Amino acid sequence: MRTLWLFADGEWRASAGTGTIAVDDPATGERVGACPRGCAEDVETAVRSARAAAPGWARVAPAERGALLRRAAARVREHADELARLVTAEMGKPLADARGGVEAGAGTLEQYAELGPLHGGRSLQGGWGATDLMVREPRGVVGVITPWNDPVAIACGLIGAALVTGNTVVHKPSERTPHTGARLVELLAADLPPGVLTMVAGDRSAGAPLAAHPDLDLLAHVGSSAAGREIAAAARCRVLRENGGKDPLIVDAGVDPKWAAEQAALGCFANAGQICVSVERIYVHRSVAEPFTTSLVAAAEALRTGPGLDEATTLGPLVDRRQRETVHGHVRAAVAAGARLLTGGRIPDGPGAFYPATVLADCTDDMAVLREETFGPVAAVRVVESFDEALALANTGEYGLAATVLTPSLAHVQRAWRELRAGTVKVNAVFGGAPGGAAQPLGASGEGFGYGPELLDEMTHTKVVHIAAP
């Protein structure tokens, strides 16, 4: 059982805070462990350590920083099964999916190990006797607050981009996956100078003082929109946020309804719907609505619910019973308001935080399942009469993270990517994309670039230099 949770100056220490947070396996309800709530004193220790290490780390050659990141990626791959099992134990993700998240994290570290040394500024055309440059420099100390739903992949992206550009990092993993976060920090920091990567554990008792700390130069947060708004209001530095979404899926006339249902099931039910870019609302053209919905119900009922460590499981539990109550509350309210429950929608007996893949038909725009982030395995379906109507409805609401359109029409493809108000628009695939892709969330979904080469720009600032001969 881990007892030391504060990582600073290259060593683990006990938290100065009081109180602990229980971490239970969401599949069995059994105790995985406990972490401290954290406190401002822990944050002060970690930030002070990172600030002291910042000048020396900034002077390390980018190629050397990249080489250290490659070694860290190799360690993550070497311990992939261990990390995946921690993820599954703490938040319930099926083991195969958890391994995929770890592999994605290692791949992101490798990507930044290559891109970091190539990241630079540019020269300007000035006078003959002068030199003018735009130079990219590290910001200094970067705070990184990461969520529980994909704890390795997301942390590797933000931490890797910050480190390779010469910043030091204070990481606060989610209190729901603290053991995963602590083990990842151990692996990443193994070859780094003391203080370059630090960590505090806990909930708001640690997160709030980190967000408001005056000695941070950048704060990167991935998590809920409510938390993101609070962090942005409290921060005294620039904030990068990738927050919640209510991502629409448009199913156009002319598509194969069975294929479209398979795409919808993947988008709604993968990781039990606990992905920032999960499909949260479906607008299906009336001409294909009936066979699409029938196939979607069949796909939902074909999923095998069970503990994530069971290799046959395709739908694991929600992260905890509190999240299950939120999801079930949306479903219950929708049914009470007139939605038809086609499958699922009932809390099963037994331990854990399981919730079945659920399909709701006849949803209306005033229902929470079409307005508020559900973050669970729920497919909320609304029938539309035209592609124009689908586009208009997809653009409603405060969020703007991602959107998907399934259509055989090239004209509708062109309209979709131009007119959909979202940072990412996907056509004929709910997931996927080339390595190195980045996007800017819109509205309540956040601000700033996440991932890709553009994240290296976010992690640095531009200094303009004018050198004239005396």
Side-chain angles (χ1 to χ4, degrees):
M1 190 75 72
R2 179 179 289 273
T3 58
L4 302 179
W5 286 96
L6 170 62
F7 187 68
D9 300 318
E11 63 181 18
W12 289 98
R13 309 176 185 183
S15 169
T18 58
T20 59
I21 303 165
V23 181
D24 296 333
D25 187 325
T28 65
E30 295 176 357
R31 185 60 43 88
V32 175
C35 77
R37 293 198 175 277
C39 62
E41 186 177 339
D42 290 352
V43 171
E44 189 62 38
T45 298
V47 173
R48 190 185 310 120
S49 175
R51 178 58 66 190
W57 183 243
R59 291 187 179 94
V60 172
E64 185 177 344
R65 294 196 297 257
L68 290 172
L69 214 59
R70 276 191 290 274
R71 287 161 64 178
R75 268 192 305 277
V76 170
R77 290 192 189 280
E78 181 183 349
H79 294 270
D81 190 65
E82 175 193 359
L83 286 168
R85 288 179 179 276
L86 281 173
V87 171
T88 297
E90 291 193 300
M91 62 78 57
K93 187 192 292 277
L95 190 58
D97 291 348
R99 289 194 187 103
V102 174
E103 288 295 327
T108 303
L109 291 172
E110 291 164 345
Q111 176 182 233
Y112 285 131
E114 296 297 323
L115 292 175
L118 304 178
H119 185 247
R122 59 190 176 93
S123 61
L124 303 173
Q125 296 299 318
W128 182 260
T131 300
D132 291 87
L133 305 170
M134 295 179 69
V135 182
R136 307 294 304 194
E137 293 190 327
R139 290 184 180 270
V141 179
V142 176
V144 173
I145 300 176
T146 55
W148 49 265
N149 60 319
D150 203 353
V152 175
I154 293 170
C156 283
L158 294 174
I159 293 172
L163 292 178
V164 81
T165 48
N167 300 282
T168 56
V169 173
V170 180
H171 180 215
K172 194 202 86 67
S174 169
E175 66 274 18
R176 288 169 167 173
T177 52
H179 297 83
T180 303
R183 185 62 179 129
L184 178 63
V185 164
E186 286 176 339
L187 296 171
L188 298 181
D191 292 318
L192 298 176
V196 170
L197 176 58
T198 63
M199 191 197 97
V200 293
D203 55 11
R204 290 174 57 91
S205 297
L210 178 60
H213 200 285
D215 210 20
L216 289 185
D217 300 293
L218 180 72
L219 183 61
H221 170 253
V222 177
S224 74
S225 293
R229 283 190 289 264
E230 291 182 17
I231 286 170
R236 306 188 194 184
C237 60
R238 173 164 171 71
V239 179
L240 301 180
R241 295 187 295 122
E242 188 201 83
N243 296 151
K246 192 66 182 174
D247 291 1
L249 168 66
I250 296 174
V251 181
D252 199 9
V255 300
D256 176 354
K258 186 175 185 299
W259 165 77
E262 291 168 353
Q263 286 290 309
L266 178 62
C268 292
F269 307 139
N271 198 24
Q274 300 171 122
I275 304 174
C276 294
V277 291
S278 290
V279 170
E280 291 253 347
R281 48 192 171 128
I282 300 171
Y283 301 108
V284 57
H285 195 280
R286 185 172 298 279
S287 64
V288 294
E290 184 175 348
F292 166 82
T293 305
T294 299
S295 295
L296 181 56
V297 169
E301 293 177 346
L303 294 172
R304 176 165 175 175
T305 302
L309 290 177
D310 183 345
E311 294 282 1
T313 292
T314 51
L315 182 69
L318 293 169
V319 67
D320 57 27
R321 292 195 171 194
R322 182 179 63 179
Q323 180 62 24
R324 183 170 73 176
E325 279 304 312
T326 298
V327 172
H328 189 55
H330 280 197
V331 172
R332 191 169 53 238
V335 172
R340 285 188 296 127
L341 181 64
L342 302 184
T343 190
R346 294 176 178 83
I347 294 178
D349 295 331
F354 291 100
Y355 197 77
T358 298
V359 180
L360 294 168
D362 299 340
C363 294
T364 57
D365 301 332
D366 57 340
M367 295 176 179
V369 288
L370 287 186
R371 291 186 294 104
E372 302 172 14
E373 188 174 29
T374 303
F375 222 58
V378 178
V381 182
R382 186 194 191 288
V383 175
V384 296
E385 304 297 334
S386 67
F387 189 71
D388 285 345
E389 183 185 8
L391 281 179
L393 290 170
N395 279 332
T396 58
E398 62 177 335
Y399 297 103
L401 190 56
T404 305
V405 58
L406 307 179
T407 179
S409 167
L410 181 57
H412 287 177
V413 169
Q414 290 294 105
R415 286 193 60 197
W417 76 259
R418 289 192 180 278
E419 296 180 27
L420 283 170
R421 190 180 62 83
T424 299
V425 175
K426 296 165 284 185
V427 177
N428 292 334
V430 293
F431 294 134
Q440 289 181 301
L442 301 177
S445 292
E447 59 184 318
F449 280 103
Y451 304 104
E454 291 81 2
L455 183 55
L456 301 179
D457 293 340
E458 299 280 14
M459 294 291 178
T460 56
H461 69 85
T462 299
K463 179 180 287 182
V464 175
V465 181
H466 174 72
I467 304 173

